[in-house]
Amino acid sequence: LRFSCRVWGGLVQSGGSLKLSCEASGFDFREPFSGHSMGWFRQAPGKEREFVISISSSGRSTYYGDSVKGRFTIARDNAKNAAYLQMSDLQPEDTAIYICTADRQSVMAYEAERVDYWGKGTQVTVSS
């Protein structure tokens, strides 16, 4: 699979918002996009990869890391093979590389080692 990620908003100050999109390609009828859960992990300097958020393959269920509950939301558009991460009330501690992920399971695992596919990552920097 290949991922193409975009950021809307650029650099942001504390309390601001950003939107990330992730378009994935490489699916086929045997392994359709709609059969994969989608999500984001993030990694800050000197820290391990952290689960941020995910959405089930059906789109009916979403899952949140404790640090982003109430601030981040995720959506998917199966017609576009895309997922979207809306981040609000961003804080400096949200600064990290955000990595789009996909998994063949209908619900993505919280553990990074269990996730099937990884994008390259997008830098998000929040200034105080």
Side-chain angles (χ1 to χ4, degrees), residues 37-48:
S37 54
M38 295 293 295
W40 270 268
F41 281 69
R42 68 186 182 186
Q43 188 165 22
K47 295 187 177 181
E48 294 185 353

Side-chain angles (χ1 to χ4, degrees), residues 5 61 63 65 78 98 106 114 116 120:
C5 298
S61 299
Y63 305 87
N78 285 349
Y98 284 72
S106 60
R114 295 176 57 191
D116 292 323
K120 291 184 178 180

Side-chain angles (χ1 to χ4, degrees), residues 10-79:
L11 295 177
V12 65
Q13 291 186 328
S14 180
S17 299
L18 278 178
K19 181 178 180 180
L20 304 184
S21 73
C22 178
E23 295 183 6
S25 60
F27 299 95
D28 59 25
F29 71 95
R30 292 165 297 184
E31 195 171 344
F33 177 80
S34 60
H36 289 69
S37 54
M38 295 293 295
W40 270 268
F41 281 69
R42 68 186 182 186
Q43 188 165 22
K47 295 187 177 181
E48 294 185 353
R49 286 184 177 182
E50 174 191 15
F51 171 81
V52 177
I53 197 168
S54 70
I55 186 167
S56 64
S57 57
S58 68
R60 287 193 287 267
S61 299
T62 53
Y63 305 87
Y64 302 86
D66 289 341
S67 60
V68 306
K69 285 180 181 177
R71 301 187 300 123
F72 290 13
T73 59
I74 186 171
R76 66 186 292 156
D77 184 339
N78 285 349

